[in-house]
Amino acid sequence: MKTLRAILLLLAVAALAGVPWYGSDVLVQFGINTLLLAVLAQGWNIIGGYAGYASFGNSVFYGLGSYGVAIAMVQWDLPFPVGLALGVALALAFAVLLGLPVLRLRGHYFAIATLALAQVMTAIVSNIKLAGQNIGLVLPPLNNDPMFYELALGLLVLATLTIAALTRSRFGFGLIAIRENEEGAAVMGVNTTLYKVAAFALSGMFSALAGGIHAYWITFLDPESAFDISLNVKMIIMAVFGGAGTILGPVVGAFSLSAVSELLSSEITSAAGLFFGVVIVAAVVLMPRGLADLRRRLRKSGWRYFVENIRAHRL
C-alpha cells in the first residue's frame, strides 16, 4: 500500500512538472500562485498544525523573504540566489529574536500578538530608505514563467518532504506533544521553548523562500503587498481545510481552494470575495480537522460525522 501511494505521488509530481510544456500560459501562472500558496500552507502547518500555535505572523516571513531578494538585486546588484539566502537569514533572525518572547504566549494571546507583527513590520519598512520606503522597489524583469513554476514546485516538494521527515522524528513527536499538552511535554523532558522556536524558524524559512520567488516573479514590491495579512489568513484556511497536522492536507487544501476560487472569480466575480469566508465557517463547524480527517472517518460514520463535530464543539 505504501509503495503504491509513493508511486502515485511520484506520478502526480511528474505530471505537475510537465505543466509548462503542455499547459497554457494562464495555467502556468495559475500554477505558480497555487504552488506558492501550498508552500505557505505547508510552512504554517509546522507551527500551527504540529506545534498547535495558530500563528498570524507568517506573512512577516513572506515579506522579509521578498525584501531580501528585492534589496539584494535592486540596491546591491546581487544575483537572485544571494537574495533568497538574505531573505531566509532575515526570516530566521526574526523568528528567533521575536519567537523567544512571543511564543511564551498561548491561545488567542499568541494569535493577537502575531497578528500585530505584520502591521508593525509594514510601518518599519515604510520608513527604511534601503527598502524603498512607501514607494517600494522594482526588480529587474525576467520573462521566464516555466522557471518560476519549477522553482515553486521544487520548493513545495522540499517542504512536503521536510514535513514527512518531521512526522517520523523526535522533533516532530515533541511538537505533537506540545500541541496536545505542553505542560505534560515539559514534564516528559521536551525542551518546549527550543522546539517552538525551531518550529517557528522552520516555518518562517519556507515562507521566506516563497516570498522571494514571488517577488522576483512579479518584479514589484511595496510594504502593503509584502506584509499583507490576508495572505496569512489564506494559508491558515488552506491548511485547516485540507487537514492541519497532516503531510498532504495543506497541499490538497491549497490546490482545491485555489481552483474553486479561480473558477468563481472568472465566472461570478462578486462571489469570489466571499468564498474564503464561507469556507472558514463550513470548515470550523462541519469538519474542524479538515479533509484528511473527513476522508478517514466519513466511511465509518457517514453523515453522522458532521453532526458529531457540531456536538463535540458545542455549536
Side-chain angles (χ1 to χ4, degrees), residues 176-186:
I176 293 172
I178 291 171
R179 180 188 69 195
E180 297 301 325
N181 188 329
E182 188 167 340
E183 290 80 5

Side-chain angles (χ1 to χ4, degrees), residues 146-226:
M147 184 198 79
F148 289 112
Y149 179 93
E150 301 299 350
L151 278 175
L153 178 60
L155 182 57
L156 177 58
V157 171
L158 177 61
T160 304
L161 290 176
T162 299
I163 290 181
L166 182 148
T167 59
R168 296 171 175 82
S169 67
R170 181 178 179 180
F171 176 57
F173 291 138
L175 292 181
I176 293 172
I178 291 171
R179 180 188 69 195
E180 297 301 325
N181 188 329
E182 188 167 340
E183 290 80 5
V187 171
M188 294 300 291
V190 176
N191 188 334
T192 56
T193 301
L194 177 63
Y195 275 51
K196 289 186 294 183
V197 172
F200 202 42
L202 187 59
S203 176
M205 182 189 75
F206 286 114
S207 298
L209 288 170
I213 293 173
H214 188 261
Y216 193 22
W217 178 46
I218 62 173
T219 71
F220 176 73
L221 192 65
D222 70 303
E224 290 294 333
S225 61

Side-chain angles (χ1 to χ4, degrees), residues 5-195:
R5 186 177 300 176
I7 292 173
L8 291 175
L9 287 174
L10 287 174
L11 290 174
V13 172
L16 287 173
V19 167
W21 282 268
Y22 62 76
S24 64
D25 292 341
V26 174
L27 181 60
V28 172
Q29 292 173 3
F30 169 75
I32 296 170
N33 271 319
T34 302
L35 290 169
L36 291 178
L37 283 172
V39 171
L40 291 174
Q42 283 287 47
W44 184 89
N45 192 30
I46 297 171
I47 186 67
Y50 283 92
Y53 274 72
S55 170
F56 281 87
N58 279 37
S59 57
V60 174
F61 300 130
Y62 175 87
L64 290 173
S66 300
Y67 269 102
V69 168
I71 291 172
M73 297 186 71
V74 176
Q75 306 288 34
W76 298 335
D77 198 26
L78 295 173
F80 173 59
V82 176
L84 277 179
L86 176 61
V88 169
L90 289 172
L92 292 178
F94 183 88
V96 173
L97 293 176
L98 271 296
L100 287 171
V102 172
L103 285 166
R104 295 180 182 276
L105 303 172
R106 299 183 188 179
H108 56 278
Y109 296 107
F110 173 78
I112 293 171
T114 54
L115 183 65
L117 292 177
Q119 301 299 321
V120 171
M121 191 57 65
T122 300
I124 293 174
V125 173
S126 297
N127 290 282
I128 297 177
K129 187 175 181 180
L130 183 67
Q133 296 180 316
N134 285 320
I135 300 173
L137 296 171
V138 178
L139 285 76
L142 178 63
N143 187 19
N144 192 347
D145 283 354
M147 184 198 79
F148 289 112
Y149 179 93
E150 301 299 350
L151 278 175
L153 178 60
L155 182 57
L156 177 58
V157 171
L158 177 61
T160 304
L161 290 176
T162 299
I163 290 181
L166 182 148
T167 59
R168 296 171 175 82
S169 67
R170 181 178 179 180
F171 176 57
F173 291 138
L175 292 181
I176 293 172
I178 291 171
R179 180 188 69 195
E180 297 301 325
N181 188 329
E182 188 167 340
E183 290 80 5
V187 171
M188 294 300 291
V190 176
N191 188 334
T192 56
T193 301
L194 177 63
Y195 275 51

